[in-house]
Amino acid sequence: EEIQVVDYHNPSALIEASELLSLTDLKGYSVIDFRKDEEFLEGHIPGAIHISPDEVKDPEADVAGMKLDKASVEKILQSKGVQQGTIFVIYDGRMEVDAARLWWILKIYGAKNIRMLTGGLYAYEGAGGKLVKDIVDRIPGDFTFPKDGPDLERDMEQVLAAIDDISYTIVDARSDAEFKCEILSRACTKKGRIPGSVSLDWSYSVNYHGDQKFKSPQELQELFNSKGIYDDKNIITYCRSGVRSAHTTFVLTELLGYQNVFNYDGSWLEWHAMEGAPIELEKDPISN
């Protein structure tokens, strides 16, 4: 049975490809293609605005991939023609794992009306949508962020404090192999995980080998509960660089309605490089 967006906690956080295709024009919408430059040039949704993941990374940060500051993100959006009061529709070609990163940045800076294209480009093309290569010239927009949005972030100090705080659950959204210390996370020099964290690969929340959409609310709830991730705790998500964990943050807050979920932007890139940060390694199975 087809899952409808209305089944989720916040239906307006998602848009179906069929609904996007039914819009006669995109007036009032900013459809954002959040993929690499070359992917956008190969073909994108008609009328889409291109923002590459690299554009919203802070080049000055000590840790690679940290989010860009609010004023700079606002400038980027204006330069791409985004207007005040717009409805954002964000998509990518990777089951919304990148798109969720932009969702998280826009959300914490106070943007309203952000919708993720469920199933991304795969769903769009599957629904009969045609991609185009033409680039639209845009006049600068007047978009500004209102006051800051919800608190959906924790920093390293706060994560350190949460390790021994029973009101917190720390969720590792990396692959099982990274969590189990079998492989190094890309561009990292140490294996390991944040002590006490629970493993839940971000991709388990989507129909990875199917329609690439999010799993049903029931499946998602069972998945998170099976790992001991309940709504009565504060939840911190992390991964390698805060991208996959932003996806998990989206799933928990928008699709399941969890109240207190926070993405750790620095994630493993920052954690493993910090002098003296506690690191848990995969336990020896014999002593387990």
Side-chain angles (χ1 to χ4, degrees), residues 1-286:
E1 166 185 17
E2 184 86 12
I3 305 153
Q4 304 298 322
V5 296
V6 292
D7 298 335
Y8 297 101
H9 166 74
N10 178 14
S12 65
L14 293 172
I15 186 168
E16 290 281 1
S18 55
E19 187 185 341
L20 184 57
L21 281 162
S22 72
L23 298 173
T24 48
D25 65 34
L26 294 176
K27 197 171 169 57
Y29 286 83
S30 297
V31 177
I32 309 237
D33 182 307
F34 196 62
R35 296 181 299 156
K36 293 176 179 161
D37 298 345
E38 59 272 22
E39 292 171 321
F40 177 76
L41 293 171
E42 277 167 18
H44 50 265
I45 291 174
I49 294 166
H50 180 238
I51 298 177
S52 81
D54 285 342
E55 282 181 270
V56 294
K57 292 175 183 173
D58 180 358
E60 310 291 314
D62 296 338
V63 180
M66 299 287 276
K67 70 179 187 312
L68 200 55
D69 66 276
K70 184 175 182 174
S72 301
V73 173
E74 197 170 82
K75 275 204 186 76
I76 289 170
L77 294 171
Q78 290 168 354
S79 74
K80 310 261 180 180
V82 176
Q83 302 291 348
Q84 200 65 283
T86 193
I87 298 168
F88 289 98
V89 173
I90 315 174
Y91 73 86
D92 64 28
R94 298 202 319 143
M95 286 163 261
E96 306 305 86
V97 66
D98 293 315
R101 174 70 180 177
L102 184 59
W103 163 84
W104 177 73
I105 293 171
L106 294 177
K107 189 89 177 170
I108 58 179
Y109 288 156
K112 309 282 185 238
N113 300 328
I114 314 167
R115 309 185 72 180
M116 295 242 279
L117 177 61
T118 181
L121 275 181
Y122 183 83
Y124 184 81
E125 292 190 273
K130 299 279 183 275
L131 304 186
V132 297
K133 292 189 178 183
D134 59 325
I135 311 292
V136 181
D137 284 329
R138 301 177 191 281
I139 52 166
D142 61 358
F143 178 84
T144 53
F145 287 110
K147 62 180 192 314
D148 285 343
D151 175 18
L152 294 169
E153 183 174 15
R154 288 288 179 265
D155 63 19
M156 179 159 193
E157 292 303 319
Q158 292 167 311
V159 179
L160 266 171
I163 290 174
D164 296 316
D165 184 338
I166 57 161
S167 73
Y168 276 87
T169 304
I170 301 175
V171 178
D172 186 327
R174 297 176 301 168
S175 67
D176 294 343
E178 287 168 284
F179 180 82
K180 289 178 176 169
C181 314
E182 292 165 0
I183 60 169
L184 275 170
S185 295
R186 188 165 52 84
C188 295
T189 55
K190 290 179 199 162
K191 297 175 186 175
R193 54 185 181 236
I194 295 174
S197 54
V198 179
S199 174
L200 183 49
D201 182 327
W202 74 273
S203 69
Y204 296 171
S205 294
V206 292
N207 298 313
Y208 197 89
H209 298 293
D211 63 8
Q212 301 196 3
K213 294 183 179 183
F214 293 98
K215 288 181 176 168
S216 73
Q218 294 76 14
E219 288 174 300
L220 290 171
Q221 195 65 68
E222 282 169 19
L223 175 67
F224 283 90
N225 290 356
S226 74
K227 298 284 195 164
I229 303 164
Y230 293 99
D231 192 19
D232 59 353
K233 300 280 194 200
N234 296 298
I235 293 161
I236 294 175
T237 63
Y238 80 96
C239 55
R240 183 191 79 95
S241 63
V243 173
R244 290 173 283 181
S245 50
H247 188 277
T248 301
T249 301
F250 176 84
V251 170
L252 286 170
T253 56
E254 302 286 27
L255 304 190
L256 292 178
Y258 279 48
Q259 293 301 308
N260 300 299
V261 186
F262 311 98
N263 186 20
Y264 169 30
D265 194 12
S267 278
W268 192 249
L269 273 173
E270 178 178 55
W271 192 270
H272 92 289
M274 196 60 79
E275 196 64 47
I279 289 177
E280 186 173 87
L281 294 163
E282 182 66 352
K283 295 179 185 69
D284 178 347
I286 299 157

